[in-house]
């Protein structure tokens, strides 16, 4: 079986399970929208939002809901020890990693497709100003976050305090990604937008993605071997 | 029966034939931090043999199965599959190993058929639909193939998981508590399947506490205790009695 075929087989399995239960989509989406709604009561005063608040809240919602999605995705693999079954199959470890990553990534992007317009609506943020650039920032930031999160969630699958450890490990490492995402998005949504600055942050996100995905592919096999 | 490849023999690195007819565990130890799960274990199993691992809880049976399955690396010693090692053959070797774990390795949200199909794809099997249909028939689940595995009783899931482990016709079959949750009828069917596996030249290694059921099929019994392994002595008495005698003799 080819490498990409294996990646797709694993990702499709996750998507079929999610399509059937919709557990992750509903909980993640509900959580992300709730976060945005609660913040809107604090940061929007008399119909005017604080400067740059929208971009920060969008990325906080993405990071928190993404952590929820990562934890639950691997909880499914833990319930009947199915991650072990994946590791016992004659497929390359990086293909397993990428398959799991693809499933989480798609779910997070679906959530963002709903949350970003909600942020735009509640904070009067012009999310349609540079749509391709905004989508690029969201996709690149989400990829980096999910890449690190997938690795850690897989590593922690047998740890008893995995629900606590996942954010403790994940957030410090992904802080640069979130900062780049916030600053890039803020540059687009500002009263006086600076698309060149947004592009610079996007380049930085792509660089982070390359580093994180490469490192994760490199260490996933040895880490899972123990 | 094929002779053993003792440690020290140069491994055959030819990537063509991954198949093997012996498994040789040579002085294998495994530690979890400071805890010793396996200590200098040396055993062999050959094609057409059903090897039973018996021992108290926490004795090291599941660790030994994990090491044989390539899931755990030994802290010391080597496992040879014929002339190959995991390091020589890489992922391809796993295509010749089938594992039934205590946790069954089934996705509860997928149907029985989808579970088999998913793992069949991972193993790159041809004629997958025919294999899946045959497996469901052997598990006596052909009328429930489109039901979610999570809705099955433990016994039904056990039967499905057993067929999932054999879907790719592995040479080495590793079973951890295969009789758990099975009614008497299903246990007898499983015994029949194990006999057929033996006839077809599989190497079966089975960890179980069910002496009475296992006695009908086990060719050689090993006693595992505190990470060490002894052969259960032949002689008078049932397997349970001989196991207890061996355990007492080894202190």
């Amino acid at each position: 079986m080819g490498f990409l075929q294996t990646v797709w087989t694993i990702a499709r399995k996750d998507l079929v399970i999610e399509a059937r239960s919709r557990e992750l989509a509903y909980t993640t989406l509900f959580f992300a929208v709730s976060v945005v709604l609660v913040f809107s009561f604090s940061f929007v005063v008399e119909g005017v939002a604080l400067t740059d608040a929208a971009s920060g809240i969008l990325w906080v919602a993405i990071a928190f809901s993404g952590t929820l999605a990562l934890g639950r995705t691997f909880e499914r693999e833990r319930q009947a020890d199915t991650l072990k079954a994946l590791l016992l199959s004659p497929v390359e470890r990086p293909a397993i990693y990428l398959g799991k990553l693809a499933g989480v990534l798609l779910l997070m992007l679906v959530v963002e497709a709903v949350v970003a317009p909600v942020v735009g609506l509640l904070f009067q943020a012009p999310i349609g100003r540079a749509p391709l650039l905004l989508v690029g920032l969201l996709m690149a930031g989400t990829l980096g976050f999910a890449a690190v999160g997938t690795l850690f969630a897989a590593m922690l699958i047998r740890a008893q305090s995995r629900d606590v450890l996942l954010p403790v490990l994940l957030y410090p490492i992904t802080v640069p990604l979130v900062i780049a995402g916030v600053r890039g998005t803020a540059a687009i949504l500002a009263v006086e937008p600076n698309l060149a600055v947004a592009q610079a942050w996007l380049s930085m996100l792509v660089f982070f993605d390359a580093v994180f995905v490469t490192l994760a592919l490199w260490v996933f096999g040895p880490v899972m071997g123990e | 029966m094929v002779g053993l490849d003792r440690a020290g023999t140069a491994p055959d690195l030819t990537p063509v034939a991954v198949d093997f007819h012996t498994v040789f565990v040579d002085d294998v130890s495994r530690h979890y931090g400071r805890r010793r799960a396996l200590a200098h274990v040396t055993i062999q199993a050959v094609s057409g043999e059903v090897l039973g691992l018996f021992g108290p809880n926490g004795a090291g049976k599941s660790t030994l199965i994990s090491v044989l399955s390539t899931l755990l690396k030994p802290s010391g010693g080597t496992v040879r599959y014929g002339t190959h090692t995991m390091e020589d053959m890489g992922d391809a070797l796993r295509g010749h190993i089938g594992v039934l774990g205590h946790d069954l390795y089934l996705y509860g949200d997928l149907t029985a058929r989808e579970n088999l199909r998913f793992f069949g794809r991972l193993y790159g099997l041809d004629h997958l639909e025919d294999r899946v249909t045959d497996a469901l028939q052997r598990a006596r689940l052909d009328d429930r193939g489109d039901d979610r595995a999570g809705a099955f009783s433990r016994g039904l899931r056990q039967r499905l998981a057993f067929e999932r482990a054999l879907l790719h016709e592995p040479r080495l079959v590793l079973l951890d508590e295969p009789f758990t949750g099975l009614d008497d009828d299903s246990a007898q069917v499983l015994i029949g399947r194990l006999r057929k596996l033996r006839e077809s030249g599989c190497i079966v290694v089975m960890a179980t506490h069910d002496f009475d059921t296992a006695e009908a099929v086990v060719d050689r019994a090993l006693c595992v205790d505190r990470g060490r392994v002894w052969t259960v002595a032949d002689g008078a008495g049932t397997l349970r009695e001989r196991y207890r005698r061996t355990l007492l003799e080894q202190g």
Side-chain angles (χ1 to χ4, degrees):
Chain A
M1 191 180 207
F3 185 88
L4 289 177
Q5 220 176 336
T6 305
V7 172
W8 172 237
T9 300
I10 294 169
R12 189 176 60 178
K13 178 265 299 171
D14 280 351
L15 295 175
V16 166
I17 290 174
E18 180 52 33
R20 206 158 284 169
S21 69
R22 293 177 197 168
E23 175 202 353
L24 280 180
Y26 284 150
T27 51
T28 311
L29 198 58
F30 182 76
F31 182 75
V33 171
S34 299
V35 166
V36 172
L37 197 64
V38 168
F39 276 124
S40 73
F41 281 101
S42 289
F43 296 121
V44 182
V45 182
E46 293 176 1
V48 180
L50 286 181
T51 313
D52 292 350
S55 59
I57 286 154
L58 175 62
W59 281 93
V60 163
I62 289 169
F64 285 3
S65 62
T67 310
L68 193 68
L70 283 162
R72 288 300 303 161
T73 300
F74 279 89
E75 183 62 23
R76 280 179 181 158
E77 296 287 1
R78 197 189 65 82
Q79 277 166 359
D81 229 354
T82 41
L83 184 62
K84 217 179 254 185
L86 296 180
L87 296 170
L88 284 166
S89 62
V91 298
E92 294 169 70
R93 299 288 202 250
I96 297 173
Y97 168 78
L98 287 179
K100 294 301 297 178
L101 171 60
V104 171
L105 187 63
L106 281 172
L107 178 69
M108 287 181 70
L109 291 174
V110 167
V111 170
E112 286 164 27
V114 176
V115 171
V118 172
V119 169
L121 187 72
L122 293 177
F123 291 81
Q124 294 105 43
I127 59 165
R129 185 180 279 157
L132 286 180
L133 198 51
L134 182 63
V135 167
L137 282 164
L138 288 173
M139 288 180 79
T142 308
L143 173 61
F145 187 85
V148 180
T150 300
L151 177 66
F152 284 154
M155 280 165 61
L156 293 170
I157 198 165
R158 282 186 291 269
Q160 281 193 329
S161 49
R162 56 191 166 276
D163 293 335
V164 177
L165 283 173
L166 180 60
V168 167
L169 291 172
L170 181 59
Y171 293 150
I173 292 181
T174 53
V175 156
L177 280 163
V178 175
I179 291 172
V182 169
R183 294 318 311 158
T185 309
I188 296 173
L189 303 183
V191 179
E192 292 177 15
N194 189 338
L195 298 187
V197 169
Q199 278 173 351
W201 284 112
L202 176 59
S203 305
M204 192 161 284
L205 280 175
V206 171
F207 170 74
F208 283 141
D209 288 352
V211 171
F212 285 149
V213 172
T214 306
L215 281 175
L217 286 171
W218 188 38
V219 301
F220 184 78
V223 163
M224 288 294 104
E226 294 303 309
Chain B
M1 300 274 188
V2 178
L4 275 176
D5 305 297
R6 285 291 314 192
T9 307
D12 179 10
L13 297 177
T14 313
V16 180
V18 186
D19 200 7
F20 50 87
H21 295 274
T22 64
V23 175
F24 184 43
V25 177
D26 187 9
D27 196 30
V28 162
S29 299
R30 172 70 203 191
H31 302 262
Y32 295 106
R34 292 172 68 187
R35 192 171 71 80
R36 186 183 65 183
L38 293 175
H40 304 288
V41 171
T42 298
I43 58 171
Q44 65 178 60
V46 295
S47 182
E49 183 177 36
V50 179
L51 198 65
L53 303 178
F54 302 92
N57 294 325
K61 303 185 295 295
S62 295
T63 302
L64 183 53
I65 283 188
S66 292
V67 168
L68 284 168
S69 72
T70 74
L71 210 54
L72 277 181
K73 280 184 186 165
S75 308
T78 321
V79 182
R80 288 180 182 275
Y81 305 84
T83 53
H84 310 296
T85 64
M86 182 59 202
E87 287 71 31
D88 299 336
M89 300 314 302
D91 299 319
L93 182 64
R94 294 196 187 94
H96 295 267
I97 302 173
V99 184
L100 171 64
H102 190 257
D103 284 320
L104 301 184
Y105 310 153
L106 294 171
Y107 292 97
D109 285 316
L110 296 184
T111 66
R113 191 181 300 279
E114 286 169 339
N115 266 291
L116 294 171
R117 206 180 275 150
F118 170 68
F119 285 106
R121 285 196 183 116
L122 286 188
Y123 282 82
L125 302 181
D126 54 3
H127 310 294
L128 184 55
E129 287 308 316
D130 293 341
R131 285 176 189 254
V132 167
T133 304
D134 290 347
L136 286 170
Q137 277 173 357
R138 279 195 298 267
R140 293 178 293 154
L141 290 169
D142 33 348
D143 57 337
R144 301 200 56 185
D146 296 319
D147 290 354
R148 284 190 327 109
F152 290 169
S153 68
R154 167 75 196 203
L156 295 188
R157 278 187 286 134
Q158 187 83 10
R159 274 154 45 182
L160 177 63
F162 183 73
E163 293 305 330
R164 185 206 63 80
L166 300 181
L167 195 64
H168 55 290
E169 298 171 18
R171 171 68 68 187
L172 174 61
V173 180
L174 303 168
L175 309 171
D176 197 353
E177 296 293 353
F179 302 109
T180 304
L182 296 184
D183 57 32
D184 189 49
D185 188 31
S186 299
Q188 291 312 312
V189 171
L190 179 57
I191 293 282
R193 286 283 284 136
L194 291 173
R195 285 187 178 133
K196 279 187 182 157
L197 288 174
R198 176 168 54 198
E199 284 163 20
S200 67
C202 285
I203 305 165
V204 181
V205 180
M206 172 172 65
T208 180
H209 294 286
D210 194 338
F211 290 92
D212 301 333
T213 312
E215 189 166 18
V217 72
V218 162
D219 295 310
R220 193 153 54 93
L222 300 176
C223 172
V224 185
D225 187 28
R226 285 163 290 168
R228 294 192 172 274
V229 174
W230 298 277
T231 302
V232 173
D234 291 332
T238 63
L239 177 60
R240 187 190 299 273
E241 289 163 350
R242 287 184 285 126
Y243 160 77
R244 283 187 178 155
R245 216 161 44 229
T246 307
L247 211 57
L248 279 174
E249 282 167 8
Q250 300 301 335

